Amino acid sequence: MFEKCGFAVEGTLCNFEPAPTEEQRRNGLQLAPRSIIGALVPEDVPGLPWYADVARADDQGTSSAVSVNGVTERGWGRTLPS
């Protein structure tokens, strides 16, 4: 998902998540053996068409929904420069 949004792949961790318990497996939990680590740095922001909407919603203190490449997210926190 984050690659579609313009985040850079920083690395891949193998077997990073603990193995699910038997109860978690019975309840449908499935974990991938690899975890992809991504990042968004200030230099990436100018090339992201969705970023201005996210920053504006955050600056207004709203939790409005923002659609990024067809995926709608709600409740943004301040983690990127505006």
Side-chain angles (χ1 to χ4, degrees):
M1 163 64 188
F2 65 83
E3 290 171 294
K4 290 181 180 180
C5 294
F7 289 72
V9 174
E10 296 289 321
T12 303
L13 299 176
C14 298
N15 300 313
F16 177 71
E17 299 287 341
T21 65
E22 195 57 44
E23 178 182 7
Q24 290 171 322
R25 279 196 280 274
R26 277 194 309 273
N27 289 325
L29 178 64
Q30 297 179 5
L31 298 175
R34 297 189 185 339
S35 297
I36 299 172
I37 306 302
L40 181 62
V41 295
E43 294 81 21
D44 296 336
V45 171
L48 302 173
W50 54 265
Y51 184 81
D53 291 337
V54 173
R56 192 170 25 263
D58 189 48
D59 286 343
Q60 294 170 0
T62 66
S63 59
S64 49
V66 178
S67 182
V68 177
N69 291 337
V71 176
T72 300
E73 294 290 340
R74 297 181 185 279
W76 295 90
R78 178 168 298 283
T79 56
L80 300 173
S82 54

